[in-house]
Amino acid sequence: MSTQHPIVRPGAQVHFGVFFQGVNHTTIWSDPESGSQTEFASFERVARTAERGLFDAFFLGEGLRLRESRGLLHDLDVVGRPDAITQLAALAAVTERIGLVATQNTTYNDPADLARRLQSLDVLSGGRAAWNVVTTDNAWTGANFRRGGYLDHADRYERAAAVLATARRIWDAFPDAGTPGTVARVTASAADLRTPLDAVIDPTTPRSPQGHPVIFQAGDSPAGRDFAAANADVIFSAHGSVLTDALDFAADVRRRVVAAGRPEDDLKIFPGTSIIVGDTPDEAEERARWVRTQQVTPATALSIVGNIWGEDLSAYDPDGPLPAHDPVVEELGGERGSATTGARTREIAQRWRAIAETEGLSIRQLVIRNSGERGFVGTPGSVAEDLTRWVRTGAVDGFNISPWIVPSGLDDIVDRVVPELQERGAYRTAYEGTTLREHVGLREPLPWRTERRDEPRESGARAGAGQEGEAAESAA
Amino acid sequence: MTIPFFVGLDVDGAGAHPAAATASGQAPADLLSGARLARSVRQAENAGVTFVTFTDALLPAVTGHASSGRLDAVTRAAFVARTTTAIGLVPQVPTTYPEPFHVAAQLASLDHAAAGRGGWLAGVTRTPETAAAYGRAAVDDVEREARDVVQVVRDLWDTWEDDAVIRDVATGRYVDRDRIHYPRFEGASFSVTGPLITPRPPQGQLVVLAAAGDVAPGSREPLVDVALVGGTGAADATAAALESRARPAGSALGTAGPDTSQRGTAQASDARAVDGRAPRAGVEVEVVLDADGRRAADRLRDLDAATPGGVRSPWGAPAPSGTSPLRYVGDGAGLVALLTSLAASGVDGVRLLPAVLDTDLRALVREVLPALRAARVVVPPRPGATLRETLGLPRPANRYARVA
Ligand SMILES: Cc1cc2nc3c(=O)[nH]c(=O)nc-3n(C[C@H](O)[C@H](O)[C@H](O)COP(=O)(O)O)c2cc1C
């Protein structure tokens, strides 16, 4: 790893969140040590371990339709998850400090209802809630909802900005605790929400110790980055494996934050990543290899390649070469997750074939290689060095760790990496505040938004389109 | 098998009376805090209450009043899921405007977190202002909408068979796709494809409660497990309860119709003792007790006098059928006598709506529940039991499972 990147934030601390994966193939469910992905006890154990490790936050993702491949339910991955806000409310009662981040999309939720549920979690948890704002627009998910697939892809960030602006007005409608006053009525215009009627809302949820939920955003297109730059407190990015890539991402995002009229450190960067440690560098590498082979089973490898080729490749030899013919479909369907929408399958296939031929890889080896450059591998000490460098070069503010096994997957990190970080003065030794806003080190609830609360932004929603196909597999 | 009389207790906010928040003198944030909520529900559990309900509505009781603060009911119920072990947790979730898919996932998640102690008080929303808050046109036939929503939520709970997660290492399959189903529901005003994102709840189906008449009869199955009725007096309420059990709420069964399996009234009236599948019927009782050295009637008079104008509250409000909750104002011994006589006349249980939660719960815990337990009218739920087990309701078979 290169060391020439200057240290620009010498005293900066590493922050951790944990992403309890929902639908995904990276949690090794086949291992004898793997527990239930459904039972509450698994979630509780991960959340408590993270809290013992003084993490900022515990995250849950969202997906509102089960994935399919070519009309059949995808059956290889972990699938089946709780509603995030409900599950986090139960976790709020068995934890004391850790933040609780609920991923919720802005398309298939009504602002009055969503803002209320999020604020309810925030009040009950004593100011520990956050909303990870995602956008989804596909008709395939819409089939589970009253409005159906009503929103164009290009409009989803516009809707997101309007829903978020309305939520903020709802949260701000109550006088602060101890301050007398009445509750303001909130109106949202039809143009804001792209719904046939105006919304008129009389809020019921009081403010929490942190005011209202912290805003996270997960999305990577230019439009997504602009949305985060204008609206979010934290961006949950996918740039958590290669330092130069993370630095580029950070520079890009900070430019957008400044352009949105905010101080450049107003948006914190937390990429998703994974951490694998061993007693020696060799042992860690060996373990990382093992983890990747477990994650990419022969069936999973064929399924991932089959999705790009748009056909059932399960009769292929996973240890043999890629199909000799080109994919039969032009574009990926929406069902694999929104990050893949619009990706050109032939380009991906050609690129994959070139890599496989140059490096002499089988189907499974190629898939492992494609999903292999994620995260940190080493001894607890070397990983702590790397993480500290990432934060101090300004590439990130923290990391969102996805454990590869549930529920024991954080034990090594909390028991071995956190103490190494603490020894280096790069990690807190106690929670300093009680709210998530305090853990992350955010300013008081957002003076920058007060000025514009009455003019919902037009974000540059139409700017971003094509996404790399590979990203889809991690965006669960 | 005889099923014990159930005692449900509403634990919403400061209490069911619209002046409760003002009377309590507490700030909204304290009134609605997690610590206070957990304390109230724990007290109810320790006293042997069968289940607590969390009354809810999107709109405040009094527009613009900070004392009208209220948190989302499912979120409240989930918060106490792990601070309790025996008591049933029944949030009120309206059927009229929320997305049925979200409702199904939220309630299934509550049941997972509460290890099978979840219920659903399916409410209907008749205020046009709620439609405005959703930015939607007002639903004109709320009972029909309720029928469709309860139906699709039940369908969604069954979309995963109990053993859908197979974790078959040999083939690399985590789930058996043949055991996960698509309801493809077409209702009068919406459609849902499914399946649910959440595996089948521990109870298979959460216990569905609703005010009698709120959920229009479904054509496929009884939609309501526990019907709640009101009445102008104990005899009236008893008659209403027995009547609603003879004509199961939300069910076409028992009404004139093509179904030939309908039960006669005579059989249904003693169903509590003989048939685990009969719906339960409970009476809604507003309660004001002598407390803190003050007579109940005086407390109620003061509360009524302190009620702000323009209040939107279920307290004393007539149900669509025209019946208001039964009201009891008096000492604990009188309430014990009332509940004992309701139980003796065949009513399955009650849902108590305490005027001021902290005050009336104290009196209930000290004077009422111990006496009911001693008389074996009420049996506290067992730790680890599901709410269905506590209510003597069977765990439903999955509608999509192929019969082997
Ligand atoms: C790290 C990360 C995590 C994400 N998690 C979720 C999720 O849980 N649910 C979801 O619907 N989308 C999730 N997304 C998808 C994004 O919200 C977004 O829809 C997608 O990246 C496409 O938007 P974009 O064009 O702005 O990148 C995630 C994206 C990233 C980068």
Side-chain angles (χ1 to χ4, degrees):
Chain A
M1 218 168 254
S2 89
T3 47
Q4 73 264 33
H5 303 290
I7 299 298
V8 295
R9 301 190 298 194
Q13 304 269 299
V14 174
H15 291 252
F16 282 148
V18 54
F19 191 59
F20 189 109
Q21 293 263 11
V23 176
N24 77 100
H25 77 262
T26 54
T27 304
I28 306 175
W29 56 259
S30 57
D31 193 84
E33 222 193 288
S34 163
S36 169
Q37 311 292 316
T38 305
E39 276 168 28
F40 187 83
S42 295
F43 293 78
E44 179 171 355
R45 164 130 183 237
V46 171
R48 281 186 192 262
T49 305
E51 187 167 71
R52 181 162 60 79
L54 307 172
F55 280 38
D56 287 6
F58 175 96
F59 277 65
L60 288 177
E62 183 198 54
L64 295 172
R65 185 152 171 188
L66 302 191
R67 280 190 196 175
E68 295 172 5
S69 310
R70 293 175 304 284
L72 289 178
L73 198 74
H74 184 67
D75 57 2
L76 305 176
D77 299 353
V78 169
V79 56
R81 59 169 119 214
D83 170 71
I85 295 175
T86 309
Q87 188 79 345
L88 294 172
L91 287 166
V94 295
T95 54
E96 285 173 6
R97 294 291 186 94
I98 193 163
L100 304 162
V101 189
T103 302
Q104 298 279 296
N105 82 84
T106 46
T107 305
Y108 298 108
N109 280 294
D110 297 288
D113 181 62
L114 178 58
R116 183 166 186 264
R117 290 192 300 117
L118 287 163
Q119 184 68 9
S120 296
L121 176 64
D122 203 25
V123 171
L124 287 172
S125 65
R128 295 190 277 140
W131 173 15
N132 180 31
V133 180
V134 297
T135 57
T136 196
D137 56 71
N138 55 70
W140 187 74
T141 301
N144 283 334
F145 296 94
R146 292 179 190 269
R147 288 196 192 96
Y150 72 103
L151 195 68
D152 280 349
H153 185 71
D155 291 334
R156 68 211 159 102
Y157 278 110
E158 210 172 306
R159 160 95 184 173
V163 171
L164 179 55
T166 306
R168 284 194 161 125
R169 293 204 290 269
I170 291 170
W171 297 332
D172 286 348
F174 247 75
D176 268 311
T179 325
T182 55
V183 183
R185 168 165 288 175
V186 172
T187 57
S189 81
D192 287 351
L193 297 177
R194 292 179 173 269
T195 54
L197 287 174
D198 290 1
V200 180
I201 303 156
D202 287 307
T204 57
T205 44
R207 290 169 71 77
S208 79
Q210 65 174 358
H212 62 69
V214 169
I215 302 300
F216 285 65
Q217 189 266 0
D220 203 26
S221 65
R225 295 180 190 192
D226 277 341
F227 175 84
N231 296 292
D233 299 308
V234 182
I235 186 164
F236 181 9
S237 84
H239 303 267
S241 296
V242 178
L243 183 55
T244 45
D245 169 59
L247 284 163
D248 288 348
F249 176 80
D252 178 68
V253 159
R254 290 196 183 112
R255 259 194 309 277
R256 294 172 197 267
V257 169
V258 172
R262 301 168 64 185
E264 68 165 22
D265 66 343
D266 224 28
L267 179 68
K268 308 294 180 187
I269 302 171
F270 275 60
T273 198
S274 73
I275 295 177
I276 297 174
V277 295
D279 290 339
T280 64
D282 285 350
E283 192 190 305
E285 283 303 329
E286 179 54 40
R287 189 179 234 192
R289 263 193 302 278
W290 178 84
V291 165
R292 280 166 203 159
T293 346
Q294 296 301 302
Q295 288 172 327
V296 183
T297 63
T300 291
L302 292 173
S303 150
I304 287 174
V305 175
N307 270 324
I308 298 297
W309 259 258
E311 62 185 296
D312 180 4
L313 299 182
S314 58
Y316 275 69
D317 178 3
D319 299 318
L322 289 169
H325 61 278
D326 274 342
V328 296
V329 293
E330 269 291 302
E331 291 198 354
L332 292 169
E335 68 258 35
R336 291 183 57 240
S338 41
T340 57
T341 308
R344 317 290 296 181
T345 57
R346 271 183 209 157
E347 286 164 27
I348 295 169
Q350 275 159 19
R351 192 153 29 82
W352 284 9
R353 206 181 281 117
I355 295 168
E357 277 164 18
T358 322
E359 301 181 21
L361 304 176
S362 70
I363 289 177
R364 190 174 177 205
Q365 286 166 333
L366 175 80
V367 174
I368 289 172
R369 178 200 178 279
N370 282 352
S371 56
E373 282 188 317
R374 294 225 169 87
F376 297 82
V377 177
T379 62
S382 76
V383 166
E385 288 292 338
D386 288 344
L387 297 171
T388 306
R389 181 165 59 245
W390 275 56
V391 168
R392 294 187 173 171
T393 55
V396 302
D397 296 284
F399 300 89
N400 233 335
I401 302 168
S402 288
W404 45 268
I405 195 156
V406 163
S408 61
L410 283 188
D411 295 0
D412 269 357
I413 293 152
V414 168
D415 295 333
R416 306 187 62 189
V417 179
V418 165
E420 293 280 351
L421 287 167
Q422 287 168 327
E423 251 169 54
R424 288 163 174 78
Y427 199 86
R428 64 167 66 98
T429 52
Y431 284 113
E432 283 132 35
T434 61
T435 67
L436 176 56
R437 200 176 287 285
E438 289 167 309
H439 301 337
V440 178
L442 297 169
R443 296 186 168 82
E444 282 292 294
L446 314 176
W448 52 268
R449 89 180 132 77
T450 321
E451 303 139 34
R452 4 176 134 167
R453 64 161 61 157
D454 290 316
E455 32 150 332
R457 294 178 56 80
E458 289 286 312
S459 75
R462 278 154 220 281
Q467 275 290 303
E468 294 261 306
E470 296 99 309
E473 296 304 327
S474 64
Chain B
M1 185 188 93
T2 308
I3 298 142
F5 190 73
F6 67 77
V7 176
L9 173 76
D10 193 58
V11 293
D12 180 39
H17 196 285
T22 322
S24 79
Q26 295 189 61
D30 298 330
L31 212 43
L32 304 182
S33 75
R36 178 174 173 276
L37 179 67
R39 193 169 57 240
S40 304
V41 178
R42 197 174 314 114
Q43 278 172 7
E45 178 170 78
N46 291 342
V49 166
T50 317
F51 59 84
V52 285
T53 61
F54 306 81
T55 290
D56 201 9
L58 184 68
L59 301 180
V62 187
T63 305
H65 247 253
S67 71
S68 291
R70 177 188 262 158
L71 305 181
D72 170 68
V74 176
T75 311
R76 280 183 278 158
F79 183 78
V80 293
R82 310 302 289 188
T83 64
T84 53
T85 57
I87 197 166
L89 304 172
V90 185
Q92 177 174 359
V93 183
T95 53
T96 315
Y97 297 106
E99 285 288 352
F101 191 87
H102 289 323
V103 171
Q106 289 160 17
L107 290 168
S109 304
L110 167 65
D111 204 45
H112 281 289
R117 290 181 289 119
W120 174 22
L121 179 53
V124 303
T125 306
R126 295 188 167 80
T127 46
E129 296 92 333
T130 304
Y134 276 89
R136 288 179 44 202
V139 170
D140 50 6
D141 187 346
V142 293
E143 292 87 4
R144 185 210 62 205
E145 188 79 351
R147 175 200 68 200
D148 285 353
V149 170
V150 176
Q151 183 69 65
V152 76
V153 167
R154 284 187 179 274
D155 290 352
L156 286 166
W157 286 335
D158 275 356
T159 51
W160 292 60
E161 292 183 35
D162 293 318
D163 53 1
V165 175
I166 52 171
R167 298 171 75 124
D168 184 38
V169 177
T171 59
R173 289 179 309 147
Y174 179 79
V175 288
D176 177 355
R177 63 163 71 106
D178 294 336
R179 295 182 219 177
I180 301 179
H181 305 274
Y182 290 75
R184 303 192 195 284
F185 180 87
E186 296 282 344
S189 68
F190 63 90
S191 61
V192 174
T193 299
L196 199 59
I197 54 167
T198 312
R200 196 168 191 236
Q203 296 181 95
Q205 307 262 319
L206 282 76
V207 177
V208 179
L209 297 81
D214 270 3
V215 180
S219 55
R220 286 197 266 139
E221 61 183 319
L223 294 175
V224 175
D225 299 303
V226 180
L228 298 170
V229 302
T232 46
D236 189 33
T238 302
L242 298 183
E243 158 80 9
S244 89
R245 208 165 52 200
R247 248 186 321 103
S251 170
L253 316 176
T255 59
D259 196 300
T260 51
S261 68
Q262 56 182 283
R263 239 181 244 113
T265 308
Q267 270 170 288
S269 64
D270 58 22
R272 182 155 72 94
V274 298
D275 184 354
R277 267 161 312 178
R280 305 282 173 263
V283 175
E284 303 255 52
V285 188
E286 292 174 349
V287 172
V288 193
L289 293 171
D290 292 354
D292 302 338
R294 303 196 59 218
R295 295 177 53 81
D298 297 337
R299 288 184 53 218
L300 180 59
R301 195 197 51 232
D302 290 353
L303 285 166
D304 285 344
T307 302
V311 75
R312 204 189 276 128
S313 158
W315 180 264
S321 50
T323 56
S324 301
L326 195 62
R327 181 173 292 178
Y328 177 81
V329 183
D331 65 5
L335 183 58
V336 170
L338 171 67
L339 300 186
T340 305
S341 85
L342 287 174
S345 51
V347 171
D348 296 301
V350 289
R351 180 169 86 115
L352 305 179
L353 301 157
V356 179
L357 180 61
D358 291 351
T359 311
D360 291 299
L361 179 55
R362 244 187 339 262
L364 286 168
V365 164
R366 284 196 196 136
E367 300 163 39
V368 179
L369 287 153
L372 292 171
R373 287 165 72 164
R376 308 285 300 160
V377 174
V378 166
V379 178
R382 257 186 316 110
T386 67
L387 180 55
R388 282 190 168 273
E389 287 164 354
T390 301
L391 294 172
L393 296 162
R395 189 176 190 280
N398 189 310
R399 70 201 57 206
Y400 300 109
R402 277 161 309 184
V403 187

